[in-house]
Amino acid sequence: MDNSDIDKKTVLTENSTTSTCFIPFREDISSIEIPTKLNFPFYYETHPLCTIAALEVQHYLSENKELPHNFGLNDATELLPIGKMFGVLIVEYNGQLGYLAAYSGKLANSNTIDFFVPPVFDMLTQNGYFLQEEEKLNELNQQIESLEQATIYLDIKQQLIDLNQQKLTQIELLKNQLKENKKERQILRQTNKNILTVAEFAVFEAELIKQSLYDKHLLRKTTAQFDELLAKWQIELNIYQKKIDDLKQRRKKQSNALQQWLFTNYTFLNGNGKEKSLLTIFQNALHAQPPAGAGECCAPKLFQYAFKHQLKPIALAEFWWGSSPKSEIRKHGQFYPSCWGKCEPILNHMLEGLKVDENPFLQNPAEGKELEIVYDDPYLVVVNKPAEFLSVPGINISDSVYQRIKHRYPQATGPLIVHRLDMSTSGLLVLAKNKEVHEHLQKQFLKRKVKKTYVALLDGCVVRTKGKIELPLRGDLNDRPRQMVCYEYGKNALTHFKVIESDTEKTRIEFEPITGRTHQLRVHAAHKDGLLAPIKGDDLYGVKADRLYLHAQNLGFYHPVTKEWVSFMVAPDF
């Protein structure tokens, strides 16, 4: 297949469609079953038609030498390497199946690249309002930068710094001298007290008091002289600082106004033909203000184009193309669901009127599963949690380890839950039956006295036989519950590991998490600065399978009542 196979102009010549981005399938797809419902965008199995369409898009990206974008797949360019999320939407037009393609954000610093659908709203239209306002903001930035770099402004700031330092130095020297003067006066007072007459000593004492008062006067005078000079320079600085602050306030006001204008102009259609702006869509979302880049992801672009051109959506898929960002985990060529933070409120609106697969997150994953009791006494209970079983009640599902234990032990008091496992992780959990035991166990976790080891099966070969991983983690604000590596705001996360066995494709490994961050083992395994081998079945950082192959195998702690060390072990079923 060459580029002409998927060239839009060829498509337009051979087909009567009025949609310039509709690309019909070239190969025979008659044997592939067409889905009756659109897949749920936030959790799906990639449909075969999406796989075919994605391969065509990937071929286009690989062979298009004129595309001025560095995906980081080779070192032959000076452009900054930036991987991108791409999407395909299988659509039907006049009984013919084809697909649309899109990219998130900008590609090669452009909103409009041939072969891909246009943005929902093109803010980069030449001589358009956005670019004009952006130019005004750039001018303000230049004015602010010019004032902040002005020689006179920098000189005044330096003068204040130097003068403050001089004040500190000289006042400190003067205070030390005055202390010495005071000591000398005390010595003279003691020496002359028994030598001089009462009348003579009174005269002498009066002279010492004068010297003390003069010293205090000298300190006040010196301090006042410095303060007067500092005040003069501060007035000069304030004059310039006010100019800068006024410009910054003006910039903030204009920037907010431009952002509101964008949010109002970004409007989205849905399957019922109704239109809503970003502002309206996000009014009832978790964050009322739309996040930066909302509406620029693949899925909203694809559905908007389909609705505008009367194309029927059939199936959606998104994949990453290029090098992974430093903070996130994205694998070249791998399919991913739509992001929650930016896309979920938008797609909730856009998918109205379409037949969509049920939201799997509303289904109880623990239904029909038994919670095995490993240890039980009057003070605590240790359970073996199955995979796909919540530790605590969720937003939509209450069935959980907490609920099951609460029902089993109605007399138990306190919070019960001492620590948690991810829903997808199986293994050992300890729960307390009263508040005192709970507090004791929690302190052991906080002081890292509890011994925990996990067994996992990784997709990939780990070369090192043992070691540690230190990658700080924080939540991805735009795509929860995903976590990301962040050295600026992330919390310290430390994992020790030991390889049990490995081959060219799989690694069985033992993890010992020293800290207990959300998704710590999953991210440390998958990240390129970790083991670069995601846990098998990891639907967030790897490839979905029948389960997440991560199991909390060992758990040891000091019994809160007997004070004895107790340990438990349950081997995984994989």
Side-chain angles (χ1 to χ4, degrees), residues 396-515:
N396 301 303
I397 299 167
S398 61
D399 191 9
S400 57
V401 173
Y402 173 85
Q403 287 291 90
R404 298 277 184 103
I405 295 299
K406 189 78 174 173
H407 178 74
R408 186 183 180 100
Y409 306 98
Q411 303 305 317
T413 60
L416 295 182
I417 294 290
V418 180
H419 63 126
R420 304 181 188 185
L421 293 176
D422 287 347
M423 181 182 73
S424 299
T425 304
S426 61
L428 294 167
L429 275 175
V430 59
L431 296 95
K433 292 184 178 179
N434 62 58
K435 185 179 178 181
E436 292 74 21
V437 171
H438 182 272
E439 289 178 352
H440 194 286
L441 287 171
Q442 270 210 326
K443 285 179 181 178
Q444 291 190 57
F445 274 94
L446 290 171
K447 293 180 179 179
R448 299 177 184 173
K449 292 183 177 180
V450 177
K451 178 76 172 178
K452 297 178 292 178
T453 59
Y454 293 69
V455 172
L457 194 60
L458 308 186
D459 278 329
C461 177
V462 176
V463 178
R464 292 187 290 165
T465 56
K466 62 180 179 178
K468 65 179 182 179
I469 308 162
E470 287 187 272
L471 296 174
L473 304 177
R474 73 168 177 84
D476 186 340
L477 301 180
N478 290 323
D479 198 9
R480 293 184 183 278
R482 290 177 65 91
Q483 302 293 303
M484 58 197 300
V485 173
C486 179
Y487 286 92
E488 187 175 4
Y489 302 109
K491 292 182 179 179
N492 174 56
L494 173 62
T495 302
H496 291 165
F497 70 89
K498 180 173 65 176
V499 171
I500 301 171
E501 58 180 346
S502 66
D503 56 33
T504 56
E505 296 181 351
K506 294 284 185 291
T507 299
R508 182 175 285 270
I509 198 167
E510 181 181 280
F511 286 123
E512 182 183 353
I514 306 304
T515 54

Side-chain angles (χ1 to χ4, degrees), residues 177-349:
Q177 181 60 52
L178 298 186
K179 285 180 182 178
E180 291 299 320
N181 293 348
K182 184 176 181 179
K183 287 180 182 178
E184 288 181 9
R185 287 194 296 271
Q186 288 174 341
I187 293 171
L188 289 171
R189 185 177 285 108
Q190 291 297 326
T191 303
N192 290 282
K193 190 172 185 180
N194 298 322
I195 299 173
L196 301 176
T197 65
V198 173
E200 289 173 334
F201 186 77
V203 173
F204 181 74
E205 177 70 14
E207 183 59 32
L208 291 181
I209 291 173
K210 284 182 182 180
Q211 291 178 14
S212 176
L213 292 173
Y214 175 78
D215 283 355
K216 292 178 180 178
H217 167 73
L218 183 60
L219 179 60
R220 288 195 299 270
K221 181 180 178 183
T222 305
T223 303
Q225 287 173 341
F226 273 110
D227 288 344
E228 185 178 354
L229 281 172
L230 285 168
K232 289 180 180 179
W233 284 110
Q234 189 64 52
I235 290 171
E236 293 293 322
L237 180 66
N238 290 344
I239 292 172
Y240 283 91
Q241 192 63 53
K242 188 177 186 308
K243 293 178 183 178
I244 295 171
D245 292 342
D246 287 347
L247 286 173
K248 286 184 176 180
Q249 189 62 33
R250 183 176 159 195
R251 179 182 63 183
K252 182 180 179 180
K253 186 176 180 181
Q254 289 185 203
S255 178
N256 288 341
L258 182 58
Q259 189 176 57
Q260 294 301 307
W261 178 84
L262 274 176
F263 291 159
T264 303
N265 279 274
Y266 266 91
T267 56
F268 301 84
L269 290 165
N270 66 15
N272 291 322
K274 295 182 179 179
E275 197 170 33
K276 282 186 179 181
S277 71
L278 265 181
L279 282 177
T280 305
I281 287 172
F282 274 86
Q283 273 178 351
N284 298 318
L286 182 62
H287 303 291
Q289 187 79 350
E296 284 300 305
C297 294
C298 300
K301 287 184 178 181
L302 291 166
F303 285 112
Q304 182 77 354
Y305 191 90
F307 294 146
K308 285 183 71 173
H309 294 83
Q310 292 76 52
L311 306 174
K312 179 184 177 182
I314 303 294
L316 171 75
E318 298 178 64
F319 64 89
W320 183 264
W321 192 255
S323 60
S324 176
K326 291 182 179 180
S327 57
E328 299 176 66
I329 297 172
R330 299 294 186 190
K331 187 176 180 181
H332 176 61
Q334 188 164 301
F335 289 98
Y336 290 92
S338 299
C339 65
W340 283 96
K342 293 181 182 180
C343 290
E344 194 264 344
I346 298 173
L347 294 185
N348 268 350
H349 158 69

